[in-house]
Amino acid sequence: MESSGILGLGCYLPAKKLTNKDLEKIVDTSDEWIMTRTGIKERRIAPKEFAASDMGVEAAKSAIKDAGLKPEDIDLIIVATVTADMAFPSTACIIQDKIGAINSAAFDINAACSGFVFGIVTAKQFVDSGLYKNVLVIGTEKMTNLVDWTDRSTCVLFGDGAGACIVGKSKARQIVSYFIGCDGSGSNLLRLPAGGSRTPTTEETVKNKLHFLKMEGNEVFKLAVKVMADAANKAITKAGLLCSEINLLIPHQANIRILMAVAKKMGLPEEKIFLNIEKYGNMSSASTAVALAEANREQRIKKGDIVALVAFGSGLTYGAVVIKW
Ligand code: UT7
């Protein structure tokens, strides 16, 4: 029987790599510290002239092709990003024009690193209701624009990239359950202080580096382990499954130590956790999007497998989606 599922997947990673060795020349850090504390070896840097929409376009085109569709077949574009081209118009509108999806509605969502998961859940509502047939969900981020390249506690963590999927009625790769949540009391833990209506841009805000992301790393770390495991467990239980029945957990790639702690909490062996953090670092909403596309391309998922996508991020937001391949 048909129900909402994944019709196609795609991703885009900029060619330019920034290695830990390169970072040693920029800030007081070491390859050894970054590898052991985070699991990151290198990250991708988008070209200067590339914005989130340009990466999103590439990921979208490959997902549309993978689904065997044409841009005109897309009914809705949802873009998850915290690095929108501009405050407005939405990056989704810019992508709609660039790919020629002339029949689609388009809007952005901001759920930070959980954005792609929130996007899939939102897309599913439109498909289930019968309003739309093909919804394009994109996670695209130019995180390297948001980091303070003199702050070693954050600049080593992030990278650029984009991933996309098409959600529509399908006999395979069905979305069997999901859970999304939020704890706004943690909104100060990871934020971009200036440039919004609270603290508009002034010479002072620029001088004080308030347009770069600020993070309480230790606090976020502890909460991340808890909320990711909880979100995944809730979605898995809702699907009537046990953690042991999960074939592959595809988590937001924030820190390898967080991911190993989540795996332990869920009783999953390491080989059931999909990892690409070493190559790309944390790409916010693009992390789960790229990981899902890569896991599929690398044939880490077989027909009939149960896959759980799980993420957390600024907000704090968290969520999980269970897919039967
Ligand atoms: O997707 C969004 C969510 N974000 C996250 O999930 C990030 C969550 N947090 C983390 O991943 C970790 O907290 C960090 C990787 C950010 C930091 O790791 P940590 O093990 O929590 O280190 P720490 O903040 O406790 O710092 C330990 C030491 C400090 O030095 P002192 O005060 O002990 O002398 C830092 O100054 O490590 C120092 N340090 C560094 N040293 C070398 C911090 N960053 C670096 C660095 N290179 N890049």
Side-chain angles (χ1 to χ4, degrees):
M1 223 177 71
E2 287 202 328
S3 84
S4 296
I6 308 294
L7 305 180
L9 289 160
C11 65
Y12 166 82
L13 280 317
K16 188 178 170 190
K17 296 176 184 173
L18 182 76
T19 66
N20 292 348
K21 286 279 169 208
D22 297 329
L23 276 167
E24 286 177 359
K25 294 172 204 141
I26 300 172
V27 282
D28 179 17
T29 191
S30 65
D31 176 42
E32 203 259 333
W33 191 96
I34 303 171
M35 267 309 276
T36 52
R37 296 296 183 109
T38 73
I40 303 166
K41 188 95 198 148
E42 58 192 32
R43 66 289 290 143
R44 299 298 174 93
I45 311 282
K48 203 168 183 299
E49 68 280 9
F50 251 47
S53 70
D54 301 299
M55 290 186 283
V57 162
E58 299 306 321
K61 281 182 183 168
S62 72
I64 291 170
K65 189 167 170 222
D66 188 47
L69 297 172
K70 294 193 282 301
E72 309 88 271
D73 300 326
I74 302 300
D75 303 302
L76 171 67
I77 301 173
I78 301 173
V79 172
T81 187
V82 292
T83 53
D85 288 24
M86 293 167 253
F88 63 89
S90 73
T91 300
C93 289
I94 298 168
I95 293 176
Q96 188 247 24
D97 178 49
K98 285 183 178 167
I99 64 173
I102 48 171
N103 298 312
S104 77
F107 60 80
D108 286 3
I109 56 171
N110 179 345
C113 307
S114 312
F116 187 66
V117 167
F118 277 52
I120 291 179
V121 172
T122 308
K124 179 175 161 51
Q125 313 310 312
F126 283 108
V127 173
D128 284 353
S129 72
L131 186 61
Y132 293 133
K133 214 167 146 212
N134 301 308
V135 182
L136 168 61
V137 183
I138 304 168
T140 182
E141 304 282 12
K142 193 173 184 187
M143 293 305 290
T144 58
N145 271 3
L146 291 195
V147 295
D148 174 358
W149 289 99
T150 64
D151 174 10
R152 68 177 182 174
S153 70
T154 53
C155 76
V156 303
L157 303 174
F158 296 94
D160 303 331
C165 75
I166 314 285
V167 177
K169 286 265 191 276
S170 166
K171 284 192 178 137
R173 306 199 283 194
Q174 292 182 339
I175 299 161
V176 291
S177 70
Y178 57 86
F179 170 80
I180 52 173
C182 159
D183 176 6
S185 70
S187 58
N188 265 341
L189 297 175
L190 178 49
R191 68 196 200 287
L192 190 89
S197 57
R198 173 74 53 203
T199 313
T201 309
T202 60
E203 271 180 43
E204 199 70 8
T205 61
V206 174
K207 206 171 82 203
N208 292 330
K209 297 187 172 183
L210 297 180
H211 298 275
F212 295 126
L213 70 84
K214 313 284 175 208
M215 179 170 68
E216 309 294 330
N218 285 312
E219 280 309 302
V220 174
F221 189 109
K222 279 182 265 172
L223 287 166
V225 175
K226 185 184 171 327
V227 299
M228 283 229 277
D230 284 356
N233 277 326
K234 282 192 172 123
I236 291 165
T237 307
K238 226 169 127 185
L241 297 165
L242 299 169
C243 281
S244 54
E245 292 174 277
I246 298 299
N247 299 97
L248 192 65
L249 184 78
I250 305 183
H252 169 49
Q253 310 280 312
N255 183 319
I256 194 142
R257 291 185 295 137
I258 294 177
L259 306 188
M260 289 307 128
V262 170
K264 197 170 162 204
K265 231 169 174 268
M266 294 178 66
L268 290 173
E270 269 181 44
E271 60 272 17
K272 284 193 175 182
I273 316 297
F274 184 80
L275 298 171
N276 62 12
I277 188 169
E278 186 169 335
K279 296 187 287 182
Y280 309 130
N282 181 345
M283 298 182 287
S284 187
S285 71
S287 273
T288 40
V290 169
L292 184 63
E294 280 201 339
N296 180 55
R297 196 177 60 206
E298 292 168 13
Q299 297 180 337
R300 287 284 305 275
I301 318 171
K302 296 186 302 296
K303 192 166 166 36
D305 275 0
I306 305 288
V307 174
L309 204 60
V310 60
F312 78 100
S314 167
L316 298 170
T317 56
Y318 38 88
V321 173
V322 176
I323 304 164
K324 187 170 192 303
W325 223 251

